[in-house]
Amino acid sequence: ARENRGLQSQPPPEEQNYGATAARMRQGPFVPVSRNGPAKRDYPTAAVLCYANLINFMDWFIVPGTLIDIQKYFELSDGDTGLLQTVFILCYMLAAPIFGYLGDRYNRKIILGAGIFFWSVVTLGSSFISESYYWIFFLSRGLVGIGTASYSTIAPAIIADLFEEGKRTTMLSIFYIFIPVGSGLGYVLAAGMADVTGDWHWAFRITPCMGGLALVLLILLVPHRTQRRTAAHRALSISGTIRVAAERPDVHRTAKATWCQDVIALAKNRSFVWSSLGLTAMAFVTGALGMWVPLFLYRAQVVQGIVPPCLQESCNSSNSIIFGVITIGTGILGVVAGAEAARRLRKINNKADPLICATSMCISALCLYIALMVAQTNILSTFIFIAFGELFLSVNWAVVTDILLYVVTPRQQSTAIALQILVSHLLGDAGSPYLIGIISNAIQAKNAHSFQWNFWSMQYSFIVCAFVGVFGGGFFLLTSFYVEEDRKEAEQ
């Protein structure tokens, strides 16, 4: 097999790709592979996956969008409120490796459909829980996390399988645009339904209906066989010969690798390890921001006298709506800008992707720190700097996944995505909302109860996010030292 690789033709420098598209087989002299574009059915499949991704992240952020109402309804402290999101993320991340294993070995369409159905039913059921059964509400969020893990683990791998060359990066960028769009719409939907109906429970009855539509579209438009095809399998299907299988016995050996062997190989992949730690820092910051920013802004406005303290049944949710709109706008702009910057800079620097991530993380940390410092005196400046912080965080979403897809061999990608989800959530947003909450509780406990100290406790807690963002930039910088070597190894 090594001798065959030595005889394989090398693409000219101008045709080498440094995005996810680089993970392809170098063709030997006996395998004439044509560069056909994706089939027409691939675009409807991608559209369904993007729509489901939208609903997925809307479901994530319905709770933060109605956080003030939920906290008052169940009479939760800051620490208990943060634990609500932590339960969701913990169940999500623990289920992710299981679905990664299943996604690499069994029918992906069935797994996706079951996941969408499950999380939709549980979300609908959680809207009927009374205030005396708060523990059931916590449990329901954990079950929703299990359902969404099936989707977030498998869907990116399907898109990576459907599209090659420059199309893959573009389609992944579109797919990941729906992370901030769905997150922002989750805030807007939750706050809007609470305002219109006067009851926050109605926010949990919309996404299940949208999930039902996604399930129907999945059944009708997504092909039944969506298993990953390795580069060698594509060559076989195009050439119409089984001679490649005889000449490439290593293909069959790698197909029999166990899950433990895959994990060991990924642990030795330094680009994968460091970029996953960088993503962990991103998850830590976004998890804390997504959970607490509307409440933080509300407390800042109370201190400034802009809004009165919330004493009535339905609290003012304008901050959730504004933050949701900011999240949508900065998310779209950030993902598009990140993909375009990566596309252009790869032509002049093979390490462009991790360097883009490192730079954007550090700038985001600075913006968030400034937003925290000016919150007590100028709420408009706070919104502006939060927007810039989110913008630079969003730059990294598609680029980080792109790094994973070209430094990891194709048959390990679902497992790699699942492990990255596990690590990034375990050390990131699984704990950050709870950590911010308990730090806030500790500060409040040592000082007199007042609206001023309610605000300061949250402000001081949030400073942790700025420092974690700087560490994330350092992890991506370390990724740049190894990314070229790991990319070449994955190609082979």
Side-chain angles (χ1 to χ4, degrees), residues 124-433:
L124 180 62
S126 67
S127 68
F128 298 99
I129 299 172
S130 66
E131 65 270 22
S132 55
Y133 295 98
Y134 69 92
W135 61 272
I136 298 181
F137 189 76
F138 276 69
L139 176 62
S140 69
R141 294 309 295 170
L143 294 176
V144 171
I146 293 175
T148 57
S150 66
Y151 183 83
S152 297
T153 304
I154 296 173
I158 294 178
I159 291 180
D161 189 40
L162 294 177
F163 299 94
E164 299 179 354
E165 304 302 328
K167 292 285 185 182
R168 183 184 291 175
T169 300
T170 301
M171 296 309 298
L172 281 172
S173 299
I174 294 173
F175 179 81
Y176 280 102
I177 279 176
F178 287 92
I179 291 179
V181 171
S183 303
L185 285 178
Y187 287 104
V188 173
L189 170 68
M193 291 302 296
D195 285 343
V196 171
T197 64
D199 183 0
W200 61 269
H201 292 88
W202 281 97
F204 290 80
R205 297 167 186 169
I206 304 300
T207 52
C209 299
M210 300 175 67
L213 176 59
L215 184 59
V216 172
L217 293 175
L218 181 77
I219 295 172
L220 296 178
L221 298 179
V222 175
H224 185 68
R225 295 187 62 83
T226 56
Q227 291 292 84
R228 166 154 294 285
R229 298 164 292 164
T230 65
H233 293 149
R234 293 190 190 100
L236 281 169
S237 63
I238 295 173
S239 64
T241 176
I242 61 171
R243 178 167 49 186
V244 177
E247 295 172 351
R248 295 291 306 277
D250 56 306
V251 170
H252 297 281
R253 286 199 299 269
T254 57
K256 296 179 180 179
T258 65
W259 184 81
C260 290
Q261 289 173 327
D262 287 345
V263 172
I264 292 172
L266 291 170
K268 295 178 181 179
N269 188 321
R270 290 168 294 183
S271 296
F272 171 74
V273 171
W274 288 119
S275 63
S276 295
L277 290 176
L279 181 62
T280 299
M282 284 177 57
F284 185 99
V285 176
T286 55
L289 292 178
M291 188 68 178
W292 292 112
V293 161
L295 182 60
F296 171 73
L297 293 171
Y298 159 74
R299 292 182 179 179
Q301 290 171 334
V302 170
V303 169
Q304 294 181 37
I306 298 175
V307 299
C310 177
L311 301 176
Q312 70 271 22
E313 181 64 25
S314 181
C315 301
N316 186 298
S317 50
S318 60
N319 286 326
S320 293
I321 295 176
I322 295 172
F323 184 64
V325 172
I326 289 174
T327 301
I328 294 171
T330 57
I332 295 174
L333 182 60
V335 172
V336 172
E340 182 63 18
R343 186 184 68 83
R344 291 176 179 271
L345 294 178
R346 284 170 193 157
K347 298 177 181 178
I348 59 176
N349 191 336
N350 298 342
K351 302 177 180 180
D353 288 353
L355 292 177
I356 289 171
C357 293
T359 303
S360 62
M361 280 295 291
C362 291
I363 295 175
S364 174
L366 177 61
C367 292
L368 293 176
Y369 181 80
I370 295 174
L372 294 174
M373 293 300 102
V374 302
Q376 187 172 345
T377 58
N378 192 322
I379 201 69
L380 178 60
S381 296
T382 304
F383 274 114
I384 292 173
F385 280 104
I386 285 176
F388 277 110
E390 285 210 303
L391 174 66
F392 284 101
L393 277 177
S394 298
V395 164
N396 292 350
W397 283 118
V399 182
V400 172
T401 303
D402 219 14
I403 293 173
L404 181 149
L405 291 173
Y406 65 72
V407 300
V408 173
T409 57
R411 65 163 306 279
Q412 295 175 341
Q413 284 173 0
S414 284
T415 298
I417 292 172
L419 288 175
Q420 195 173 76
I421 288 174
L422 174 64
V423 173
S424 63
H425 291 302
L426 176 64
L427 303 178
D429 55 350
S432 63

Side-chain angles (χ1 to χ4, degrees), residues 4 7 27-33 235 239 241 243-244 247:
N4 286 345
L7 295 173
Q27 296 129 25
F30 301 108
V31 187
V33 179
S239 64
T241 176
R243 178 167 49 186
V244 177
E247 295 172 351

